[in-house]
C-alpha cells in the first residue's frame, strides 16, 4: 500500500483528514517557511503527487433534487466548494470547476448538443455509446499509458474486481479511451423479499418452486393478509418497466430459465440474445395467468416505481423481487404498520432446483479526457484519491463516504469497489463467528453500528432494521454469498463497446421488446412473441448478433 509522508497542522476553517496505520511510514515534515495554519498532506506515490502550482480541471455536472437536498444538509458546503473539492485541491493541487450544471432532461439535451459538437470540458462522464462516438470523432484521447503509469495498486486492484470486462468495454481500436466507473455485477443479484408476518398469519411457508410462489401470491391477494376485511392487497409487485432492479420481473423470468435482457451462450457456444429465446414464452404465459387471476395489480402497467413503492408503504404488497438494498424500500411499510416484517429469500425455479441468477453487465459509464488536455493523468489521480480516502489505508469512511449523509456524491467522480458490500458482509459474518470486530474495515464498522442499534431493541431501532435485513445472518447478502458458492451466478457474456448496429438500432428494439412483453402479460396471444422474434431479427437483431459474435471471437486467445 501507499507509503505516505504526512505533515499536519490545523487549517483555520476546517480540519483536513489525518489517518495512518502500522503499515504506513509516517513522517511529519517541518517547513520553516510555511504558515503554521496551513495543512499539508502528501503521499510519496506518483499517482497521488501534488501539482505545484495547482491546475484546474473542468467538468459538467448533472444535478438533482436529491443532490440539492444533500447540499442543504451540509452547512457551508456548495457544489463548487465542499469536502471533496477541498480534498482534491489540498492533496493533489487540482481545482475542480464546472462549465455548467443542469437537472434531468435539460442536462441530457444540452449534453447531447455539446457532445455532437465536441464542445466538452476537460473531463467528461459518458456512457458506452457516447464513448464510441467521441472516440470516432477524435474528441478524446487515449488513456492507456496514462492509466498504466499513474493508477495506484489499490486503484488497479479495485477496478479489476469486475474482471477485464469494464476495460474491454472502454477499449476502442485497442486503445483505452475511458476509465471505467466500474459498477458491481454481483451486487445486482436479486432476492425475493417477502412479508413474513403475512406468511405466518396465513400459515404459509416460503416458496421452493415457482408454483409455490404463485400460490403465495394468490393467498396474499385473496385471503385478506392485512385483516382489514377488504379486497385491497396483491401478492407480487410489478411496475411499468419490467426490468426495474427492485419490483421488476427479471428474476421471476429467471425462474423459467429465461434471461430477457442479456447476451448468453447458446447450445453451440455462440452468443445469443436472451430476449428472443423460447423459455421467455413460459415466463410470459405464467405472468399472463397471474394478471388474469388478479394476483398482479390490474393497473401495474401504468405505475412507475414511485407509485408501486407507495403501495408497499400502505401495506398493499406482500412480495417483490429486488436487489440487496430492497430492504430499505420495503422498510417504508413499517411507518404505517410497525408489525410489518420482511425477509429476503432465494429466488426459485419451476423445477425446484437452484436457478441461475442473472447478472447483467453493469459498468455503463466511463470517464474520458478531452483531446489536447495537458494533464490527462489528473483524472487518474482523482480516482486514486477517492478510492484511497474511502477504502485505502488512510480511509476515513465516515467523513468522505457516509457522514451519515452520502457525501461521496459531492465528488465529480465516484469509483468504488465492485465487491465492497460482499466484503463488508463477509467481514461481519466472520466477526459474528469469532466475536472479534477489530478486523472490520471502516464501512463494515459503520454497518455494524447500525445493526447493533437495531438488535439492542432500544432507541430508534428503525435506523438499523434495513441494515440487518441486508447484512444480518439471514440477510440478502448471505443469500447472494450462497448464490456465488453454489455457482448460480450467470454473468452477461457480451461486455464490449456497443456495436455499430447497436448504436443505431438497440433503443428501438428495446422499446418493441418491452411493449410486446407487456401486451402479452396483459392478455395478447402468446403467438405475439414469435412475431416479435421475427421482427427483432429483421430490424437489426441478426446483424447485432453477428457483430456480437465477431467481438466474441476476437476475445479468444
Amino acid at each position: 500500500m501507499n507509503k505516505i509522508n504526512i505533515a499536519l497542522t490545523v487549517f483555520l476553517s476546517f480540519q483536513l483528514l489525518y489517518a495512518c496505520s502500522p503499515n504506513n511510514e509516517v513522517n511529519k515534515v517541518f517547513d520553516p517557511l510555511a504558515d503554521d495554519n496551513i495543512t499539508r498532506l502528501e503521499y510519496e506515490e506518483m499517482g497521488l503527487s501534488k501539482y505545484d502550482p495547482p491546475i484546474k480541471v473542468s467538468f459538467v455536472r448533472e444535478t438533482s433534487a436529491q443532490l440539492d437536498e444533500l447540499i442543504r444538509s451540509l452547512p457551508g458546503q456548495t457544489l463548487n466548494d465542499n469536502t471533496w473539492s477541498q480534498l482534491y485541491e489540498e492533496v493533489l493541487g487540482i481545482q475542480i470547476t464546472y462549465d455548467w450544471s443542469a437537472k434531468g432532461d435539460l442536462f441530457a439535451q444540452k449534453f447531447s448538443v455539446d457532445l455532437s459538437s465536441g464542445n466538452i470540458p476537460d473531463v467528461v462522464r459518458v456512457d458506452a455509446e457516447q464513448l464510441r462516438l467521441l472516440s470516432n470523432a477524435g474528441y478524446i484521447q487515449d488513456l492507456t499509458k496514462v492509466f498504466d503509469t499513474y493508477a495506484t495498486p489499490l486503484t488497479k486492484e479495485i477496478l479489476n474486481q469486475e474482471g477485464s470486462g469494464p476495460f474491454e468495454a472502454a477499449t476502442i481500436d485497442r486503445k483505452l479511451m475511458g476509465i471505467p466507473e466500474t459498477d458491481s455485477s454481483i451486487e445486482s443479484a436479486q432476492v425475493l423479499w417477502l412479508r413474513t408476518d403475512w406468511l405466518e398469519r396465513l400459515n404459509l411457508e416460503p416458496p421452493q418452486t415457482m408454483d409455490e410462489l404463485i400460490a403465495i401470491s394468490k393467498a396474499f391477494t385473496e385471503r385478506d393478509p392485512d385483516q382489514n376485511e377488504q379486497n385491497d392487497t396483491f401478492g407480487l409487485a410489478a411496475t411499468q418497466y419490467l426490468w426495474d432492479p427492485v419490483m421488476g420481473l427479471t428474476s421471476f423470468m429467471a425462474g423459467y430459465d429465461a434471461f430477457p435482457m442479456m447476451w448468453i451462450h447458446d447450445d453451440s457456444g455462440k452468443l445469443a440474445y436472451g430476449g428472443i429465446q423460447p423459455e421467455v414464452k413460459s415466463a410470459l404465459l405464467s405472468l399472463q395467468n397471474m394478471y388474469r387471476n388478479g394476483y398482479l395489480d390490474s393497473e401495474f402497467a401504468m405505475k412507475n416505481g414511485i407509485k408501486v413503492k407507495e403501495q408497499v408503504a400502505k401495506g398493499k404488497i406482500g412480495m417483490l423481487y429486488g436487489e440487496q438494498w430492497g430492504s430499505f424500500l420495503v422498510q417504508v411499510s413499517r411507518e404505517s404498520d410497525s408489525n410489518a416484517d420482511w425477509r429476503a429469500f432465494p429466488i426459485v425455479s419451476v423445477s425446484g432446483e437452484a436457478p441461475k441468477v442473472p447478472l447483467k453487465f453493469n459498468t455503463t459509464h466511463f470517464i474520458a479526457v478531452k483531446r489536447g488536455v495537458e494533464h490527462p493523468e489528473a483524472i487518474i489521480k482523482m480516482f486514486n484519491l477517492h478510492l484511497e480516502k474511502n477504502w485505502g489505508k488512510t480511509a476515513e469512511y465516515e467523513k468522505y463516504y457516509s457522514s451519515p449523509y452520502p457525501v461521496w456524491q459531492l465528488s465529480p467522480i465516484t469509483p468504488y469497489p465492485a465487491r465492497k458490500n460482499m466484503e463488508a458482509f463477509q467481514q461481519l459474518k466472520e466477526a459474528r463467528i469469532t466475536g472479534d470486530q477489530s478486523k472490520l474495515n471502516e464501512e463494515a464498522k459503520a454497518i455494524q453500528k447500525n445493526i447493533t442499534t437495531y438488535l439492542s431493541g432500544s432507541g430508534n431501532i428503525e435506523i438499523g432494521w434495513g441494515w440487518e435485513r441486508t447484512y444480518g445472518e439471514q440477510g440478502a447478502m448471505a443469500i447472494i454469498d450462497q448464490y456465488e458458492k453454489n455457482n448460480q451466478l450467470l454473468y452477461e457474456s457480451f461486455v464490449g463497446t456497443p456495436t455499430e448496429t447497436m448504436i443505431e438500432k438497440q433503443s428501438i428494439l428495446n422499446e418493441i421488446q418491452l411493449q410486446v412483453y407487456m401486451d402479452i402479460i396483459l392478455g395478447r396471444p402468446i403467438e405475439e412473441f414469435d412475431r416479435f422474434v421475427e421482427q427483432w431479427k429483421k430490424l437489426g437483431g441478426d446483424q447485432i448478433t453477428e457483430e456480437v459474435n465477431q467481438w466474441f471471437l476476437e476475445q479468444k486467445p
Side-chain angles (χ1 to χ4, degrees):
M1 187 46 61
N2 303 326
K3 206 176 175 185
I4 62 174
N5 288 324
I6 299 180
L8 181 67
T9 56
V10 179
F11 195 93
L12 286 175
S13 60
F14 67 92
Q15 182 179 354
L16 222 138
L17 83 167
Y18 171 74
C20 61
S21 78
N23 295 324
N24 289 330
E25 275 188 32
V26 181
N27 294 303
K28 290 185 178 181
V29 179
F30 176 69
D31 183 351
L33 299 179
D35 187 326
D36 287 342
N37 291 323
I38 294 178
T39 297
R40 289 193 296 116
L41 174 61
E42 296 178 355
Y43 292 83
E44 286 188 349
E45 185 126 11
M46 181 170 61
L48 288 164
S49 60
K50 185 174 183 176
Y51 295 101
D52 187 13
I55 65 169
K56 291 185 178 181
V57 178
S58 63
F59 294 80
V60 295
R61 185 72 186 258
E62 181 177 7
T63 58
S64 64
Q66 182 185 32
L67 183 61
D68 292 345
E69 180 61 31
L70 171 62
I71 293 172
R72 282 194 295 270
S73 302
L74 301 168
Q77 303 211 31
T78 67
L79 182 64
N80 295 293
D81 185 12
N82 55 62
T83 298
W84 275 103
S85 65
Q86 292 162 5
L87 185 67
Y88 289 131
E89 183 169 0
E90 289 298 318
V91 177
L92 300 177
I94 295 175
Q95 298 172 348
I96 305 300
T97 66
Y98 292 104
D99 289 353
W100 56 269
S101 63
K103 288 185 173 71
D105 291 342
L106 181 59
F107 176 88
Q109 293 166 9
K110 182 168 174 51
F111 192 50
S112 178
V113 172
D114 285 357
L115 289 181
S116 63
S117 65
N119 181 27
I120 59 175
D122 297 335
V123 176
V124 62
R125 183 176 185 264
V126 293
D127 62 28
E129 181 178 325
Q130 292 165 339
L131 184 72
R132 178 173 282 279
L133 292 173
L134 287 175
S135 178
N136 290 349
Y139 293 147
I140 55 178
Q141 58 183 291
D142 178 9
L143 299 176
T144 308
K145 291 182 179 178
V146 173
F147 181 80
D148 242 12
T149 303
Y150 286 91
T152 62
L154 177 66
T155 295
K156 290 178 178 178
E157 184 266 320
I158 285 176
L159 295 191
N160 277 284
Q161 285 186 357
E162 280 287 283
S164 61
F167 286 91
E168 291 171 12
T171 299
I172 301 171
D173 297 330
R174 302 186 181 276
K175 297 175 182 177
L176 184 66
M177 300 308 296
I179 308 303
E181 276 196 326
T182 51
D183 204 347
S184 177
S185 294
I186 192 171
E187 309 271 336
S188 67
Q190 294 187 6
V191 297
L192 180 66
W193 292 98
L194 267 169
R195 276 198 66 161
T196 52
D197 58 316
W198 285 9
L199 284 178
E200 292 169 5
R201 187 170 293 158
L202 300 180
N203 197 28
L204 298 170
E205 295 293 327
Q208 302 296 318
T209 66
M210 292 302 296
D211 283 345
E212 291 178 6
L213 183 146
I214 293 169
I216 291 172
S217 191
K218 179 178 188 292
F220 283 179
T221 303
E222 297 178 348
R223 292 174 56 187
D224 193 24
D226 59 353
Q227 295 184 327
N228 67 350
E229 299 183 358
Q230 296 181 37
N231 183 24
D232 61 353
T233 57
F234 300 98
L236 184 63
T239 75
Q240 62 188 193
Y241 184 63
L242 301 179
W243 325 125
D244 276 334
V246 171
M247 302 182 293
L249 297 175
T250 299
S251 290
F252 180 96
M253 293 190 174
Y256 293 85
D257 206 29
F259 309 103
M261 294 297 287
M262 291 175 58
W263 288 88
I264 58 177
H265 288 275
D266 64 17
D267 292 338
S268 70
K270 293 183 177 180
L271 300 190
Y273 184 56
I276 62 170
Q277 304 308 310
E279 290 82 1
V280 174
K281 295 172 72 172
S282 298
L284 291 175
L285 275 175
S286 181
L287 287 166
Q288 186 184 78
N289 288 331
M290 290 180 70
Y291 180 80
R292 182 182 297 121
N293 290 322
Y295 309 156
L296 297 174
D297 180 2
S298 62
E299 298 180 348
F300 88 89
M302 296 178 284
K303 291 179 178 176
N304 60 22
I306 295 173
K307 291 293 184 183
V308 181
K309 181 181 176 182
E310 290 173 359
Q311 290 181 292
V312 174
K314 293 176 181 177
K316 305 306 178 187
I317 300 288
M319 178 167 47
L320 57 88
Y321 286 96
E323 296 177 6
Q324 44 88 13
W325 55 269
S327 59
F328 300 101
L329 183 142
V330 300
Q331 189 170 3
V332 298
S333 65
R334 294 172 57 81
E335 295 174 6
S336 58
D337 180 2
S338 60
N339 293 317
D341 206 8
W342 295 78
R343 283 278 180 193
F345 295 91
I347 69 170
V348 297
S349 68
V350 172
S351 66
E353 297 179 359
K356 287 294 185 182
V357 181
L359 300 183
K360 189 168 175 58
F361 181 62
N362 274 344
T363 297
T364 57
H365 285 91
F366 309 86
I367 305 299
V369 179
K370 185 176 181 178
R371 188 181 186 90
V373 166
E374 184 180 357
H375 292 287
E377 76 284 349
I379 192 60
I380 312 299
K381 291 185 177 184
M382 291 177 64
F383 263 73
N384 294 340
L385 187 60
H386 193 276
L387 294 170
E388 174 62 33
K389 297 316 300 177
N390 287 321
W391 296 283
K393 292 292 185 183
T394 62
E396 286 191 88
Y397 181 85
E398 291 187 343
K399 180 173 183 179
Y400 292 101
Y401 195 84
S402 175
S403 68
Y405 297 106
V407 290
W408 59 271
Q409 295 179 12
L410 296 173
S411 173
I413 53 107
T414 56
Y416 74 99
R419 294 184 63 89
K420 74 181 186 70
N421 291 333
M422 180 57 72
E423 289 171 355
F425 164 76
Q426 289 170 341
Q427 289 179 24
L428 292 166
K429 179 181 178 182
E430 182 68 18
R432 282 192 288 266
I433 294 171
T434 64
D436 178 12
Q437 296 186 9
S438 64
K439 297 179 181 178
L440 297 179
N441 66 18
E442 293 297 312
E443 183 166 16
K445 287 177 184 175
I447 294 169
Q448 183 59 49
K449 187 185 300 182
N450 290 323
I451 292 176
T452 300
T453 298
Y454 169 70
L455 295 177
S456 70
S458 60
N460 183 8
I461 65 171
E462 291 302 310
I463 290 175
W465 187 91
W467 295 99
E468 194 279 333
R469 289 302 189 266
T470 293
Y471 290 93
E473 190 172 355
Q474 297 179 316
M477 294 305 300
I479 293 170
I480 297 172
D481 186 40
Q482 203 58 45
Y483 286 161
E484 188 167 39
K485 287 182 170 62
N486 291 345
N487 195 32
Q488 288 178 249
L489 300 178
L490 179 66
Y491 287 85
E492 178 149 28
S493 297
F494 175 70
V495 296
T497 53
T499 69
E500 295 296 337
T501 309
M502 277 182 177
I503 292 174
E504 184 182 354
K505 304 284 189 179
Q506 191 67 68
S507 60
I508 186 64
L509 292 177
N510 287 345
E511 289 176 14
I512 294 171
Q513 179 181 350
L514 179 61
Q515 188 60 56
V516 170
Y517 281 23
M518 187 68 79
D519 288 346
I520 292 172
I521 294 171
L522 298 182
R524 296 285 295 173
I526 193 62
E527 287 75 22
E528 294 283 333
F529 179 80
D530 298 318
R531 286 191 280 274
F532 155 70
V533 172
E534 291 305 311
Q535 185 183 26
W536 184 89
K537 292 180 175 181
K538 291 178 181 177
L539 291 179
D542 276 346
Q543 182 61 33
I544 291 174
T545 302
E546 183 178 329
E547 292 168 353
V548 165
N549 277 283
Q550 181 60 39
W551 169 88
F552 182 54
L553 285 173
E554 292 171 357
Q555 306 313 304
K556 293 182 178 180

